[in-house]
Amino acid sequence: MRVIVSTCGTSVLTHQTPDEFRTLLNRLSNRQQDELGEHLSAVEAHIAQRRDQMRTADIETARKMSAELNGILGVYGGTLPPEARSDRHLLVASDTYLGNTCARIVADWLTANGIPDVQVCVIKNLVTDSLETFRFGVQELVQWCEETLPGHRKTYRIIFNLTGGFKGVQGVMNTLAHAYADEIVYIFETGRDLLRIPTLPLNWDPVAIARAHLPALRRLALGIADSSDIAGLPEVLVLAEKDDAGLSLVGEMVWQKAAPVLYAERLLDPPSPRIRYSPRFERQVADVIEPDRRVRINRAIDALERWLAGHEPPKSFQVKPVEGKHPTLPQVTHECYAWSDRDAKRIFFSLDNGAIVLEDLGQHL
Protein backbone atom coordinates (compact mmCIF):
# COMPACT_ATOMS: atom_id res chain seq x y z
CA MET A 1 0.00 0.00 0.00
CA ARG A 2 1.13 3.51 -0.78
CA VAL A 3 0.56 7.06 0.33
CA ILE A 4 1.00 9.32 -2.67
CA VAL A 5 1.59 12.95 -1.70
CA SER A 6 1.00 15.21 -4.71
CA THR A 7 1.81 18.90 -4.87
CA CYS A 8 -1.02 20.73 -6.62
CA GLY A 9 -0.91 23.79 -8.81
CA THR A 10 -3.28 25.22 -11.40
CA SER A 11 -2.51 23.08 -14.45
CA VAL A 12 -6.11 21.89 -14.72
CA LEU A 13 -7.06 25.52 -15.43
CA THR A 14 -4.08 26.60 -17.52
CA HIS A 15 -3.82 23.59 -19.87
CA GLN A 16 -4.56 24.66 -23.46
CA THR A 17 -5.78 28.04 -22.26
CA PRO A 18 -5.20 31.11 -24.46
CA ASP A 19 -1.95 32.86 -23.55
CA GLU A 20 -3.60 36.06 -22.35
CA PHE A 21 -5.99 34.26 -20.01
CA ARG A 22 -3.26 31.90 -18.79
CA THR A 23 -1.17 34.94 -17.88
CA LEU A 24 -4.13 36.34 -15.96
CA LEU A 25 -4.62 33.06 -14.07
CA ASN A 26 -0.95 32.98 -13.12
CA ARG A 27 -1.22 36.55 -11.86
CA LEU A 28 -4.28 35.66 -9.77
CA SER A 29 -2.93 32.35 -8.45
CA ASN A 30 -1.96 33.73 -5.01
CA ARG A 31 -5.26 35.49 -4.33
CA GLN A 32 -8.41 34.63 -2.43
CA GLN A 33 -11.82 34.56 -4.12
CA ASP A 34 -12.82 37.96 -2.76
CA GLU A 35 -9.61 39.43 -4.20
CA LEU A 36 -10.34 38.55 -7.83
CA GLY A 37 -12.36 41.74 -8.35
CA GLU A 38 -13.49 42.34 -11.93
CA HIS A 39 -12.03 39.00 -13.04
CA LEU A 40 -14.22 36.89 -10.73
CA SER A 41 -17.00 36.05 -13.19
CA ALA A 42 -14.60 35.10 -16.00
CA VAL A 43 -12.49 32.95 -13.69
CA GLU A 44 -15.51 31.17 -12.22
CA ALA A 45 -16.92 30.49 -15.68
CA HIS A 46 -13.58 28.98 -16.69
CA ILE A 47 -13.50 26.85 -13.51
CA ALA A 48 -17.02 25.58 -14.21
CA GLN A 49 -16.05 24.65 -17.77
CA ARG A 50 -12.92 22.76 -16.66
CA ARG A 51 -14.82 21.02 -13.88
CA ASP A 52 -17.37 19.77 -16.42
CA GLN A 53 -14.60 18.59 -18.74
CA MET A 54 -12.88 16.69 -15.94
CA ARG A 55 -16.12 14.96 -14.90
CA THR A 56 -16.20 13.08 -18.22
CA ALA A 57 -12.43 12.84 -18.81
CA ASP A 58 -10.98 9.41 -19.43
CA ILE A 59 -7.50 8.51 -18.22
CA GLU A 60 -5.71 9.82 -21.30
CA THR A 61 -7.59 13.13 -21.22
CA ALA A 62 -7.08 13.50 -17.47
CA ARG A 63 -3.32 13.05 -17.91
CA LYS A 64 -3.27 15.79 -20.54
CA MET A 65 -5.37 18.23 -18.52
CA SER A 66 -3.77 17.79 -15.09
CA ALA A 67 -0.07 17.57 -14.27
CA GLU A 68 -1.00 16.15 -10.86
CA LEU A 69 -3.03 13.31 -12.40
CA ASN A 70 -0.34 12.74 -15.02
CA GLY A 71 2.09 11.96 -12.21
CA ILE A 72 -0.38 9.89 -10.19
CA LEU A 73 -1.47 7.82 -13.18
CA GLY A 74 2.18 7.47 -14.20
CA VAL A 75 2.80 5.70 -10.88
CA TYR A 76 0.17 3.16 -11.94
CA GLY A 77 1.61 2.73 -15.44
CA GLY A 78 -1.09 4.79 -17.13
CA THR A 79 -4.01 2.80 -15.75
CA LEU A 80 -5.99 2.49 -12.53
CA PRO A 81 -5.41 -1.11 -11.42
CA PRO A 82 -7.51 -2.65 -8.62
CA GLU A 83 -4.66 -2.26 -6.08
CA ALA A 84 -4.85 1.53 -6.53
CA ARG A 85 -8.03 1.45 -4.44
CA SER A 86 -6.03 0.58 -1.33
CA ASP A 87 -3.70 3.58 -1.71
CA ARG A 88 -4.15 6.90 0.07
CA HIS A 89 -3.80 10.18 -1.82
CA LEU A 90 -2.87 13.42 -0.08
CA LEU A 91 -3.19 16.46 -2.34
CA VAL A 92 -1.12 19.35 -1.00
CA ALA A 93 -2.70 22.67 -1.96
CA SER A 94 -2.21 26.32 -1.14
CA ASP A 95 -4.95 28.16 0.75
CA THR A 96 -5.60 30.34 -2.30
CA TYR A 97 -8.82 30.24 -4.28
CA LEU A 98 -7.32 28.74 -7.44
CA GLY A 99 -4.98 26.35 -5.63
CA ASN A 100 -7.73 24.95 -3.42
CA THR A 101 -10.20 24.75 -6.31
CA CYS A 102 -7.81 22.89 -8.61
CA ALA A 103 -6.89 20.38 -5.90
CA ARG A 104 -10.58 19.62 -5.34
CA ILE A 105 -11.15 19.09 -9.07
CA VAL A 106 -8.29 16.55 -9.05
CA ALA A 107 -9.74 14.92 -5.91
CA ASP A 108 -13.20 14.68 -7.51
CA TRP A 109 -11.75 12.93 -10.57
CA LEU A 110 -9.91 10.37 -8.43
CA THR A 111 -12.98 9.68 -6.31
CA ALA A 112 -15.25 9.36 -9.35
CA ASN A 113 -12.81 6.84 -10.82
CA GLY A 114 -12.84 4.49 -7.87
CA ILE A 115 -10.14 5.85 -5.55
CA PRO A 116 -11.90 6.16 -2.17
CA ASP A 117 -9.18 7.59 0.07
CA VAL A 118 -8.40 11.08 -1.21
CA GLN A 119 -7.74 14.10 1.00
CA VAL A 120 -7.10 17.72 0.05
CA CYS A 121 -4.54 19.10 2.51
CA VAL A 122 -4.63 22.90 2.49
CA ILE A 123 -1.45 24.57 3.75
CA LYS A 124 -1.75 28.13 5.00
CA ASN A 125 0.47 30.88 3.56
CA LEU A 126 1.85 28.63 0.82
CA VAL A 127 1.97 31.47 -1.70
CA THR A 128 4.83 32.50 -3.91
CA ASP A 129 4.28 36.25 -4.30
CA SER A 130 5.88 37.17 -0.96
CA LEU A 131 9.07 35.65 0.43
CA GLU A 132 8.09 36.45 4.01
CA THR A 133 4.67 34.85 3.64
CA PHE A 134 6.18 31.87 1.83
CA ARG A 135 8.51 31.31 4.79
CA PHE A 136 5.46 31.03 7.05
CA GLY A 137 3.99 28.63 4.52
CA VAL A 138 7.14 26.49 4.66
CA GLN A 139 6.77 26.35 8.45
CA GLU A 140 3.19 25.13 8.02
CA LEU A 141 4.26 22.59 5.39
CA VAL A 142 7.05 21.13 7.53
CA GLN A 143 4.68 20.95 10.51
CA TRP A 144 2.09 19.17 8.34
CA CYS A 145 4.69 16.64 7.16
CA GLU A 146 5.86 15.97 10.71
CA GLU A 147 2.34 15.56 12.07
CA THR A 148 1.00 13.51 9.14
CA LEU A 149 3.60 11.32 7.49
CA PRO A 150 5.72 9.48 10.12
CA GLY A 151 2.67 7.52 11.32
CA HIS A 152 1.88 6.43 7.76
CA ARG A 153 5.41 5.24 7.11
CA LYS A 154 4.94 2.24 9.42
CA THR A 155 2.29 0.81 7.07
CA TYR A 156 2.62 2.54 3.71
CA ARG A 157 5.32 3.29 1.17
CA ILE A 158 5.33 7.08 0.85
CA ILE A 159 5.76 8.61 -2.60
CA PHE A 160 6.10 12.33 -3.29
CA ASN A 161 4.59 13.13 -6.69
CA LEU A 162 6.07 16.49 -7.66
CA THR A 163 4.81 16.63 -11.23
CA GLY A 164 2.32 19.39 -10.44
CA GLY A 165 2.48 22.42 -8.19
CA PHE A 166 4.50 25.61 -8.05
CA LYS A 167 8.27 25.45 -8.50
CA GLY A 168 9.00 26.97 -5.09
CA VAL A 169 6.86 24.35 -3.35
CA GLN A 170 8.39 21.56 -5.45
CA GLY A 171 11.85 22.66 -4.34
CA VAL A 172 10.87 22.53 -0.68
CA MET A 173 9.21 19.14 -1.08
CA ASN A 174 12.30 17.76 -2.82
CA THR A 175 14.26 18.43 0.38
CA LEU A 176 11.51 17.24 2.72
CA ALA A 177 11.22 13.99 0.79
CA HIS A 178 14.55 12.76 2.14
CA ALA A 179 13.15 12.92 5.67
CA TYR A 180 9.55 11.86 5.05
CA ALA A 181 9.28 9.83 1.82
CA ASP A 182 10.64 6.67 0.24
CA GLU A 183 10.58 7.90 -3.32
CA ILE A 184 10.10 11.01 -5.48
CA VAL A 185 8.36 10.75 -8.84
CA TYR A 186 8.22 13.37 -11.57
CA ILE A 187 7.11 13.69 -15.19
CA PHE A 188 8.53 16.46 -17.36
CA GLU A 189 5.95 18.84 -18.84
CA THR A 190 3.30 16.86 -20.78
CA GLY A 191 5.42 13.73 -21.22
CA ARG A 192 4.53 10.22 -20.09
CA ASP A 193 7.84 8.80 -18.87
CA LEU A 194 7.94 8.63 -15.07
CA LEU A 195 11.20 9.63 -13.42
CA ARG A 196 11.67 7.77 -10.13
CA ILE A 197 14.19 9.13 -7.61
CA PRO A 198 14.81 7.09 -4.45
CA THR A 199 15.30 9.27 -1.39
CA LEU A 200 18.57 9.21 0.52
CA PRO A 201 18.51 7.42 3.88
CA LEU A 202 19.19 10.20 6.36
CA ASN A 203 21.23 9.19 9.37
CA TRP A 204 20.79 12.19 11.64
CA ASP A 205 19.55 13.01 15.09
CA PRO A 206 17.41 16.16 15.02
CA VAL A 207 16.76 15.94 18.77
CA ALA A 208 20.49 15.99 19.53
CA ILE A 209 20.99 18.91 17.14
CA ALA A 210 18.14 20.87 18.72
CA ARG A 211 19.25 20.05 22.25
CA ALA A 212 22.69 21.51 21.52
CA HIS A 213 21.15 24.77 20.27
CA LEU A 214 17.81 24.80 22.09
CA PRO A 215 17.49 28.44 23.25
CA ALA A 216 18.55 29.87 19.89
CA LEU A 217 16.39 27.54 17.80
CA ARG A 218 13.38 28.24 19.99
CA ARG A 219 13.88 31.98 19.67
CA LEU A 220 14.25 31.67 15.89
CA ALA A 221 11.03 29.67 15.73
CA LEU A 222 9.30 32.40 17.74
CA GLY A 223 10.73 35.18 15.60
CA ILE A 224 12.61 36.86 18.46
CA ALA A 225 16.22 35.85 17.74
CA ASP A 226 19.03 38.38 17.73
CA SER A 227 22.53 38.36 16.27
CA SER A 228 24.00 36.54 19.27
CA ASP A 229 21.60 33.63 18.70
CA ILE A 230 22.52 33.35 15.04
CA ALA A 231 26.27 33.59 15.61
CA GLY A 232 26.40 30.30 17.46
CA LEU A 233 24.28 28.26 15.07
CA PRO A 234 25.33 26.10 12.11
CA GLU A 235 24.57 28.03 8.93
CA VAL A 236 22.42 25.21 7.56
CA LEU A 237 19.82 25.87 10.30
CA VAL A 238 19.40 29.60 9.66
CA LEU A 239 17.91 31.71 6.90
CA ALA A 240 19.27 35.22 7.38
CA GLU A 241 18.41 38.20 5.19
CA LYS A 242 19.58 41.70 6.06
CA ASP A 243 18.17 42.42 9.53
CA ASP A 244 15.77 39.48 9.48
CA ALA A 245 16.45 35.86 10.36
CA GLY A 246 14.44 32.69 10.73
CA LEU A 247 14.80 28.95 10.56
CA SER A 248 15.94 27.55 7.24
CA LEU A 249 14.12 24.59 5.71
CA VAL A 250 16.53 22.22 7.45
CA GLY A 251 16.12 24.23 10.66
CA GLU A 252 12.35 23.84 10.42
CA MET A 253 12.73 20.09 9.91
CA VAL A 254 14.96 19.86 12.98
CA TRP A 255 12.64 21.97 15.12
CA GLN A 256 9.41 20.24 14.14
CA LYS A 257 10.90 16.82 14.88
CA ALA A 258 12.69 17.81 18.08
CA ALA A 259 10.43 20.31 19.83
CA PRO A 260 7.75 17.81 20.96
CA VAL A 261 10.47 15.61 22.47
CA LEU A 262 12.29 18.44 24.26
CA TYR A 263 9.07 20.14 25.39
CA ALA A 264 7.93 16.88 26.98
CA GLU A 265 11.01 16.56 29.19
CA ARG A 266 10.71 19.54 31.53
CA LEU A 267 9.76 23.17 31.94
CA LEU A 268 12.17 24.94 29.62
CA ASP A 269 13.80 28.21 30.54
CA PRO A 270 11.82 31.28 29.44
CA PRO A 271 12.43 32.13 25.78
CA SER A 272 13.18 35.78 26.64
CA PRO A 273 13.61 38.07 29.67
CA ARG A 274 10.03 39.24 29.11
CA ILE A 275 8.75 36.05 30.75
CA ARG A 276 9.67 35.01 34.28
CA TYR A 277 8.60 32.12 36.51
CA SER A 278 7.63 32.39 40.15
CA PRO A 279 8.96 29.67 42.50
CA ARG A 280 5.38 28.51 43.03
CA PHE A 281 4.84 28.03 39.28
CA GLU A 282 8.12 26.14 38.90
CA ARG A 283 7.18 23.78 41.75
CA GLN A 284 3.75 23.14 40.26
CA VAL A 285 5.15 22.30 36.83
CA ALA A 286 7.78 20.03 38.42
CA ASP A 287 4.88 18.02 39.85
CA VAL A 288 3.35 17.49 36.40
CA ILE A 289 4.18 13.92 35.45
CA GLU A 290 2.40 13.53 32.09
CA PRO A 291 4.77 14.40 29.19
CA ASP A 292 1.94 15.69 26.98
CA ARG A 293 0.96 18.18 29.71
CA ARG A 294 4.54 19.47 29.86
CA VAL A 295 4.42 19.95 26.10
CA ARG A 296 1.23 21.97 26.50
CA ILE A 297 2.80 24.18 29.20
CA ASN A 298 5.88 24.94 27.10
CA ARG A 299 3.75 25.65 24.04
CA ALA A 300 1.55 27.95 26.13
CA ILE A 301 4.68 29.86 27.10
CA ASP A 302 5.54 30.17 23.40
CA ALA A 303 2.04 31.55 22.80
CA LEU A 304 2.56 34.07 25.59
CA GLU A 305 5.83 35.19 24.04
CA ARG A 306 4.04 35.82 20.77
CA TRP A 307 1.21 37.56 22.66
CA LEU A 308 3.73 39.95 24.17
CA ALA A 309 4.94 40.70 20.64
CA GLY A 310 1.39 41.61 19.60
CA HIS A 311 0.30 38.38 17.93
CA GLU A 312 -3.06 36.78 18.65
CA PRO A 313 -2.46 33.38 20.33
CA PRO A 314 -4.16 30.23 19.02
CA LYS A 315 -7.60 29.55 20.51
CA SER A 316 -6.21 26.56 22.38
CA PHE A 317 -3.91 28.96 24.26
CA GLN A 318 -6.38 31.80 24.68
CA VAL A 319 -5.20 34.74 26.81
CA LYS A 320 -7.69 36.91 28.68
CA PRO A 321 -8.01 39.03 31.85
CA VAL A 322 -9.09 37.08 34.90
CA GLU A 323 -12.69 37.38 35.95
CA GLY A 324 -12.74 38.65 39.51
CA LYS A 325 -9.69 37.98 41.65
CA HIS A 326 -7.35 35.06 42.11
CA PRO A 327 -8.17 33.53 45.53
CA THR A 328 -4.60 33.67 46.88
CA LEU A 329 -2.55 35.79 44.47
CA PRO A 330 -4.03 39.30 44.21
CA GLN A 331 -1.30 40.43 41.78
CA VAL A 332 -2.62 38.08 39.08
CA THR A 333 -4.31 39.94 36.22
CA HIS A 334 -4.48 37.47 33.29
CA GLU A 335 -4.79 33.81 32.46
CA CYS A 336 -3.69 31.65 29.55
CA TYR A 337 -5.23 28.29 28.72
CA ALA A 338 -2.82 25.43 29.39
CA TRP A 339 -5.34 22.71 28.49
CA SER A 340 -9.12 22.48 28.48
CA ASP A 341 -9.68 18.74 28.85
CA ARG A 342 -9.62 16.72 32.07
CA ASP A 343 -8.77 19.11 34.94
CA ALA A 344 -8.73 22.19 32.64
CA LYS A 345 -5.64 24.03 33.89
CA ARG A 346 -4.80 27.69 33.32
CA ILE A 347 -1.54 29.61 33.66
CA PHE A 348 -2.19 32.70 35.77
CA PHE A 349 0.22 35.59 35.40
CA SER A 350 0.84 39.18 36.43
CA LEU A 351 2.14 42.11 34.40
CA ASP A 352 5.42 43.75 35.37
CA ASN A 353 6.71 46.71 33.31
CA GLY A 354 6.20 45.11 29.90
CA ALA A 355 7.11 41.64 31.13
CA ILE A 356 4.95 38.94 32.69
CA VAL A 357 5.45 36.70 35.70
CA LEU A 358 3.88 33.23 35.54
CA GLU A 359 2.47 32.89 39.04
CA ASP A 360 0.25 29.83 39.17
CA LEU A 361 -0.78 26.69 37.30
CA GLY A 362 -4.30 26.09 38.52
CA GLN A 363 -7.88 25.35 37.60
CA HIS A 364 -9.86 28.05 35.86
CA LEU A 365 -11.64 30.53 38.10
Side-chain angles (χ1 to χ4, degrees):
M1 295 188 295
R2 290 162 288 202
V3 170
I4 301 178
V5 180
S6 300
T7 49
C8 292
T10 57
S11 63
V12 73
L13 296 182
T14 57
H15 173 70
Q16 291 189 343
T17 300
D19 290 345
E20 185 177 351
F21 197 68
R22 185 188 303 113
T23 299
L24 174 64
L25 291 172
N26 290 335
R27 185 157 53 87
L28 300 176
S29 62
N30 291 302
R31 299 187 187 182
Q32 300 299 326
Q33 184 177 14
D34 60 3
E35 297 173 329
L36 299 184
E38 62 181 336
H39 307 296
L40 178 60
S41 59
V43 170
E44 290 194 328
H46 185 65
I47 290 171
Q49 179 193 43
R50 288 303 168 94
R51 187 178 278 118
D52 287 343
Q53 287 179 277
M54 288 298 295
R55 284 195 182 105
T56 59
D58 58 15
I59 286 178
E60 187 62 27
T61 302
R63 295 191 74 176
K64 290 178 180 178
M65 291 186 64
S66 165
E68 298 80 11
L69 289 173
N70 193 19
I72 290 170
L73 292 165
V75 171
Y76 298 125
T79 65
L80 278 176
E83 59 266 26
R85 293 175 173 81
S86 63
D87 290 342
R88 173 168 294 171
H89 289 268
L90 305 179
L91 307 179
V92 177
S94 67
D95 64 341
T96 62
Y97 179 55
L98 297 186
N100 197 339
T101 298
C102 290
R104 296 190 185 281
I105 292 174
V106 171
D108 290 344
W109 189 91
L110 288 169
T111 302
N113 284 272
I115 307 298
D117 194 351
V118 183
Q119 301 173 33
V120 175
C121 307
V122 177
I123 309 298
K124 293 181 181 179
N125 299 311
L126 205 60
V127 297
T128 55
D129 60 345
S130 163
L131 180 59
E132 182 179 4
T133 305
F134 185 67
R135 278 170 52 182
F136 289 124
V138 170
Q139 291 176 1
E140 296 281 348
L141 183 58
V142 176
Q143 183 176 347
W144 176 82
C145 285
E146 180 60 26
E147 292 176 351
T148 306
L149 299 180
H152 287 91
R153 211 166 188 180
K154 299 174 184 177
T155 308
Y156 296 89
R157 177 175 176 79
I158 297 180
I159 299 173
F160 276 19
N161 166 36
L162 306 184
T163 306
F166 302 104
K167 287 184 171 58
V169 178
Q170 290 173 337
V172 171
M173 291 293 280
N174 256 311
T175 300
L176 293 176
H178 297 288
Y180 296 105
D182 300 296
E183 184 181 26
I184 303 166
V185 299
Y186 189 85
I187 293 177
F188 292 104
E189 299 298 334
T190 57
R192 289 293 183 269
D193 295 330
L194 189 74
L195 176 64
R196 294 181 178 271
I197 305 172
T199 56
L200 299 173
L202 287 182
N203 183 18
W204 70 327
D205 188 345
V207 175
I209 295 170
R211 195 187 303 279
H213 305 285
L214 177 54
L217 287 177
R218 188 185 191 190
R219 288 167 59 81
L220 277 167
L222 291 172
I224 60 171
D226 57 29
S227 58
S228 64
D229 294 314
I230 299 168
L233 283 175
E235 290 184 10
V236 71
L237 301 178
V238 185
L239 182 62
E241 296 176 5
K242 297 181 180 179
D243 296 328
D244 185 30
L247 292 172
S248 67
L249 177 56
V250 174
E252 284 289 347
M253 293 168 64
V254 167
W255 186 246
Q256 291 296 336
K257 285 181 171 294
V261 177
L262 300 176
Y263 279 27
E265 293 177 348
R266 60 181 177 86
L267 174 65
L268 299 180
D269 293 337
S272 83
R274 296 192 297 183
I275 295 179
R276 302 195 300 272
Y277 305 151
S278 71
R280 171 187 176 124
F281 179 76
E282 291 180 324
R283 289 194 301 270
Q284 290 170 324
V285 178
D287 290 336
V288 174
I289 60 174
E290 300 96 333
D292 66 312
R293 303 291 109 165
R294 290 195 288 266
V295 171
R296 291 284 305 180
I297 292 168
N298 282 307
R299 292 208 182 278
I301 293 167
D302 285 351
L304 285 171
E305 183 67 54
R306 292 192 178 100
W307 178 74
L308 285 168
H311 301 292
E312 188 71 20
K315 288 185 178 180
S316 58
F317 297 113
Q318 183 180 353
V319 177
K320 62 181 182 179
V322 296
E323 297 179 4
K325 291 185 177 181
H326 190 283
T328 60
L329 299 170
Q331 71 271 30
V332 164
T333 58
H334 290 72
E335 63 178 276
C336 172
Y337 285 36
W339 55 85
S340 296
D341 59 343
R342 292 157 48 182
D343 52 350
K345 288 293 179 69
R346 306 289 186 261
I347 297 174
F348 295 97
F349 62 92
S350 59
L351 304 179
D352 183 17
N353 295 322
I356 61 176
V357 180
L358 309 192
E359 306 276 7
D360 182 41
L361 177 67
Q363 293 183 333
H364 67 90
L365 301 178

